[in-house]
Amino acid sequence: MTLFDLILIAISLSMDAFAVSICKGLSVHKVSFAHAMICGLWFGGFQFLMPTLGFFLGDRFAVVLTNFGPWVAFVLLAIIGVNMVRESFGGDEKLDDDYSAKAMLPLAVATSIDAFAVGVSFAAMQVNILPAAGLIGCITCLLSAIGVRVGALFGDKYRAPSERIGGIVLILIGLKTLLTGLGIL
């Protein structure tokens, strides 16, 4: 596998985290470097962890993750997305600007489940997992941090419509994950 192939895989895997980071950027009135780094580190860290776990534990857990992973991702992203859409219709809403572990963990897990499957395939191809997973994690970290900033730019002026669109995007990402996992897409 070439470096170019790995970069393309990393960018592809990071797109869900990028979209969720945009939604997180919508949730704050004034985005800070800390907000961007929290999203980047959570999402990048899990995008590093999951292919590494898939590489080492893939044979044992591939069936379970293949069967239930898409459902877990769908449920987590759908709940968060529906909540965002619902809150966008409120008058003077209190923004859910929670960047705590309790808020970030389900998002990081939901956006990195597909990376586990990539790790399983890396094991079959005998890819050197640590540099590959490191590249995936770094690219996801960078794109997630950028996503927070992009969300904040749109959020100030178009907060309610942006939050509705962001919620719908999360639901669609969850639905795509589910349909792909079920073999429909």
Side-chain angles (χ1 to χ4, degrees):
M1 179 171 296
T2 68
L3 178 61
F4 182 73
D5 293 337
L6 282 174
I7 290 171
L8 288 179
I9 289 169
I11 291 170
S12 298
L13 288 173
S14 69
M15 286 298 102
D16 290 354
F18 177 72
V20 173
S21 295
I22 290 173
C23 296
K24 289 302 287 181
L26 293 170
S27 72
V28 292
H29 284 293
K30 184 167 172 70
V31 73
S32 69
F33 180 73
H35 294 121
M37 288 311 302
I38 289 169
C39 277
L41 291 174
W42 271 99
F43 295 136
F46 269 78
Q47 288 287 16
F48 169 80
L49 178 65
M50 293 300 266
T52 305
L53 288 175
F55 184 88
F56 291 113
L57 303 174
D59 290 341
R60 295 184 187 125
F61 295 104
V63 172
V64 172
L65 200 58
T66 300
N67 290 337
F68 297 108
W71 286 99
V72 171
F74 170 70
V75 168
L76 290 173
L77 292 171
I79 288 170
I80 294 163
V82 166
N83 191 47
M84 282 180 70
V85 170
R86 183 184 53 79
E87 287 178 356
S88 74
F89 286 104
D92 255 353
E93 64 180 281
K94 179 188 178 296
L95 294 175
D96 180 18
D97 57 355
D98 188 0
Y99 282 74
S100 69
K102 179 182 170 188
M104 295 304 297
L105 180 62
L107 293 173
V109 169
T111 58
S112 65
I113 288 175
D114 52 349
F116 185 91
V118 169
V120 173
S121 67
F122 281 179
M125 294 185 293
Q126 298 179 345
V127 171
N128 190 349
I129 190 60
L130 292 181
L135 181 65
I136 292 167
C138 287
I139 288 175
T140 302
C141 180
L142 177 64
L143 290 177
S144 296
I146 291 168
V148 171
R149 300 297 249 175
V150 168
L153 288 174
F154 288 106
D156 285 339
K157 190 169 184 181
Y158 306 104
R159 182 156 319 276
S162 296
E163 202 165 17
R164 277 182 217 123
I165 291 168
I168 291 167
V169 166
L170 289 181
I171 293 166
L172 292 174
I173 290 170
L175 186 59
K176 177 193 121 324
T177 302
L178 177 63
L179 295 175
T180 301
L182 295 175
I184 297 171
L185 289 180

